[in-house]
Amino acid sequence: MTRNDSVDRFMCVLINKDLVHFRDCTICSSCTMDATEFRRRGKEMVDLIADYLENIEQRPVYPDVEPGYLRSLIPEEAPEEPETYEDVVKDIERVIMPGVTHWHSPYFYAYFPTANSFPAMLADMLSGAIGCIGFSWAASPACTELETVMMDWLGKMLKLPEDFIAGTHGQGGGVIQGTASEATLVALLAARSRAVRMILASDPQRPETGITSKLVAYSSDQAHCSVERAGMIAGVRMKKIPTEQSDKYAVQGETLRRMIKEDKAAGLIPFYFCATLGTTPSCAFDHITELGPICNAEKIWMHIDAAYAGSSFICPEFRPLLNGIEFADSFNFNPHKWLLVNFDCSTMWVRKRSDLIGAFKMDPLYLKHDHQESGLVTDYRHWQIPLGRRFRSLKMWFVFRMYGLKGLQDYIRKHVELAKEFESLVRADQRFEISADVVLGLVCFRLKGSNEVNETLLKRINNGRKIHLVPCQLSGQFVLRFAVCARTTESRHIREAWRLITQLAEEVMQELPH
């Protein structure tokens, strides 16, 4: 090899089998991390993570920072010269941790859980190292095939109808989406595509724009805002079906039937209904055993969003909440909420995979491969909005094997028991009231009195930063939500939280004018 003197002063090129290593004599040791150092730093990072999680309850659960706090703590531009790993790690505590809301603290009771487990974190490390982009079977066969099998494993845990299991003679199957919001949108777009194809099959001369402008979709007024947002993105009108406290905030079959009849009389085309099992405000359950047959008779796509509650259906005592799934076209829930699989992992099943593929299939030459028309493989790029996808099924594989179905069921049951314990504490205090049925791990409660009193109480709770809650509105009332979230939450944390809430409630009530 001929050497150029000016280049030789800075680097030498060593060819070792198929690898080319560039060794910069002045900066290489500080700007790169070889396998030896990675082993050392990796062990240090595992210790840092374990220490963080073991001691997380000692930190204020909610950060005490103002918007824009971080910019003043780091330079305006990326460094010209490499910095040391030690310098980067030191800045985690200085820059990052002050602005972290600690979702895995046993004093975090806001929103819904986000899953966390050591097996899932280890699997994520492996996924990052493999680093494949599994848009097709050929792009990484293991990435595709493990996902298909894991979705079947989970579908069987849930006792889904055979139509949704890929490893049978059914026409459906499962796919991992990033979030339930994505699953809702994917189902809506597939439903829109199917509706247009069905109408054009019987009336080929009808302009497609004349069809899409008349499409109408439905969801509960308790449904997550992402359902309405999906309608906005898809360019279709989305109507909210009103619910009542007397019906436990569940959509009733007769209400849906009436709205469909009125819309058809007005020349609209009903095509999609998103049922919710475990609504965000109160964990309410739509009556899908009533709603499903209506949707099937009207050729309306019924999608079931069970983002939070779906994990509980692996327990026999909660599986009846999923009765009616046999009428659904698609079903989704988030193992990354309550099944110990770290974000992101949102599992979606469809009864007919051709409905998804028909809406999203694109086959440029550079993505084709020899096996794609064999009928033996799945190309998940046709089942989702993005093209690329991570090896997320590794997390499911690790968690399912290392916890087992029984361990996962025990975890769900423990959270429900803790929620029931909190409910009993609320009911024992005459100053408070329960605002919705406690079915799983969410308790909706409030001080008896005005909305303003409850708003003040929640503000005091969150300003103290010892526990963290968020509110909802039910029948015009401001309600506090208490969701059991963290993997490490125990009875003592529930009782400490209640002591704090009652102490602050006493202060708020003493300040009221007599």
Side-chain angles (χ1 to χ4, degrees):
M1 174 168 50
T2 302
R3 295 186 175 182
N4 180 299
D5 290 342
S6 63
V7 173
D8 186 51
R9 284 179 299 171
F10 296 98
M11 69 174 62
C12 58
V13 179
L14 301 177
I15 301 178
N16 179 13
K17 296 183 179 179
D18 298 328
L19 301 178
V20 179
H21 301 280
F22 292 92
R23 289 187 178 175
D24 187 305
C25 298
T26 59
I27 65 171
C28 182
S29 62
S30 59
C31 74
T32 63
M33 182 181 290
D34 60 17
T36 300
E37 185 181 5
F38 177 72
R39 291 177 195 275
R40 181 160 59 94
R41 301 306 190 185
K43 291 169 184 173
E44 291 173 4
M45 181 55 72
V46 167
D47 284 341
L48 186 152
I49 292 168
D51 288 344
Y52 165 70
L53 292 172
E54 281 188 332
N55 300 297
I56 194 170
E57 65 181 85
Q58 297 174 17
R59 296 175 181 265
V61 67
Y62 193 74
D64 186 11
V65 296
E66 295 296 324
Y69 90 95
L70 189 144
R71 183 173 289 275
S72 64
L73 300 178
I74 59 176
E76 287 293 321
E77 297 177 352
E80 287 284 340
E81 300 295 333
E83 298 181 7
T84 66
Y85 178 80
E86 288 86 355
D87 287 339
V88 176
V89 170
K90 277 193 299 186
D91 278 351
I92 294 174
E93 201 62 46
R94 183 181 70 88
V95 177
I96 304 301
M97 287 301 173
V100 170
T101 300
H102 299 286
W103 282 64
H104 300 290
S105 167
Y107 298 116
F108 182 93
Y109 304 108
Y111 313 109
F112 277 130
T114 180
N116 178 290
S117 71
F118 294 120
M121 284 186 268
L122 291 173
D124 243 353
M125 288 175 62
L126 180 58
S127 174
I130 292 173
C132 62
I133 310 298
F135 48 76
S136 70
W137 179 87
S140 192
C143 181
T144 294
E145 295 197 14
L146 186 64
E147 180 163 336
T148 302
V149 176
M150 288 302 100
M151 292 299 295
D152 278 0
W153 277 18
L154 185 52
K156 291 172 184 176
M157 291 184 206
L158 296 164
K159 293 182 169 50
L160 293 184
E162 287 291 310
D163 290 348
F164 291 96
I165 306 300
T168 67
H169 298 296
Q171 300 176 22
V175 58
I176 302 175
Q177 304 287 359
T179 65
S181 303
E182 289 178 46
T184 300
L185 177 58
V186 165
L188 180 65
L189 294 173
R192 186 185 68 179
S193 176
R194 186 182 75 171
V196 170
R197 287 198 311 271
M198 288 171 57
I199 293 170
L200 289 177
S202 60
D203 187 3
Q205 303 305 313
R206 189 169 180 176
E208 188 170 323
T209 54
I211 300 172
T212 55
S213 65
K214 293 187 177 298
L215 293 176
V216 58
Y218 306 94
S219 73
S220 165
D221 63 359
Q222 300 293 307
H224 194 273
C225 62
S226 61
V227 181
E228 184 177 3
R229 189 166 179 263
M232 292 170 57
I233 295 171
V236 298
R237 71 188 78 193
M238 179 74 69
K239 290 195 172 184
K240 294 183 179 181
I241 303 172
T243 60
E244 301 293 338
Q245 185 176 14
S246 58
D247 295 321
K248 301 180 179 179
Y249 301 107
V251 171
Q252 304 297 300
E254 190 51 47
T255 310
L256 175 62
R257 185 181 282 110
R258 183 178 67 251
M259 291 182 68
I260 291 171
K261 183 178 180 181
E262 292 172 355
D263 287 339
K264 289 173 74 173
L268 298 178
I269 306 170
F271 80 104
Y272 176 87
F273 169 61
C274 181
T276 305
L277 299 180
T279 59
T280 298
S282 65
C283 201
F285 292 80
D286 290 337
H287 295 166
I288 57 176
T289 52
E290 294 179 19
L291 301 164
I294 296 170
C295 291
N296 288 178
E298 296 288 347
K299 294 183 171 58
I300 292 172
W301 182 300
M302 184 169 80
H303 174 68
I304 297 175
D305 173 13
Y308 162 66
S311 296
S312 73
F313 303 156
I314 66 171
C315 298
E317 64 269 34
F318 301 125
R319 176 56 177 78
L321 295 169
L322 188 56
N323 288 349
I325 179 64
E326 62 271 17
F327 301 110
D329 293 280
S330 54
F331 166 66
N332 163 252
F333 84 95
N334 291 341
H336 69 230
K337 273 191 169 64
W338 206 14
L339 211 59
L340 296 169
V341 179
N342 292 23
F343 188 85
D344 59 337
C345 182
S346 185
T347 48
M348 177 186 185
W349 290 265
V350 289
R351 181 179 299 279
K352 284 187 66 176
R353 54 183 172 266
S354 59
D355 287 331
L356 278 192
I357 295 169
F360 298 110
K361 187 170 183 177
M362 298 285 289
D363 256 336
L365 180 61
Y366 51 82
L367 294 181
K368 290 185 177 181
H369 58 89
D370 293 341
H371 299 282
Q372 67 180 40
E373 302 301 336
S374 68
L376 301 175
V377 301
T378 296
D379 285 341
Y380 278 121
R381 70 180 186 273
H382 303 315
W383 294 54
Q384 62 178 27
I385 294 169
L387 178 66
R389 53 207 332 276
R390 298 190 306 113
F391 202 163
R392 291 174 290 204
S393 58
L394 280 172
K395 294 183 289 190
M396 299 171 71
W397 193 46
F398 274 47
V399 169
F400 294 167
R401 293 182 67 184
M402 297 183 73
Y403 277 90
L405 176 57
K406 186 177 183 301
L408 295 171
Q409 290 171 334
D410 289 345
Y411 176 69
I412 296 292
R413 288 168 178 145
K414 178 182 176 182
H415 273 203
V416 176
E417 288 171 5
L418 291 172
K420 292 293 186 180
E421 180 179 2
F422 185 81
E423 178 192 12
S424 68
L425 293 171
V426 176
R427 291 192 182 279
D429 191 320
Q430 295 303 308
R431 298 170 298 174
F432 289 86
E433 60 188 354
I434 296 292
S435 302
D437 285 359
V438 179
V439 181
L440 298 173
L442 174 68
V443 183
C444 293
F445 72 106
R446 67 194 306 274
L447 268 174
K448 294 174 181 176
S450 68
N451 284 345
E452 290 74 20
V453 168
N454 283 278
E455 289 175 22
T456 301
L457 174 59
L458 181 64
K459 189 173 182 180
R460 295 272 179 92
I461 290 170
N462 287 336
N463 283 348
R465 297 182 170 83
K466 293 180 179 178
I467 63 173
H468 188 47
L469 280 69
V470 295
C472 69
Q473 190 171 65
L474 295 173
S475 301
Q477 291 189 324
F478 187 91
V479 173
L480 283 66
R481 296 171 72 263
F482 187 97
V484 181
C485 291
R487 175 174 51 85
T488 55
T489 305
E490 301 288 349
S491 176
R492 67 178 178 86
H493 301 112
I494 300 297
R495 293 183 178 276
E496 285 176 32
W498 180 243
R499 280 195 293 271
L500 178 62
I501 291 168
T502 53
Q503 175 188 328
L504 294 174
E506 183 66 28
E507 294 176 7
V508 170
M509 294 180 74
Q510 286 179 355
E511 295 170 5
L512 293 175
H514 295 289

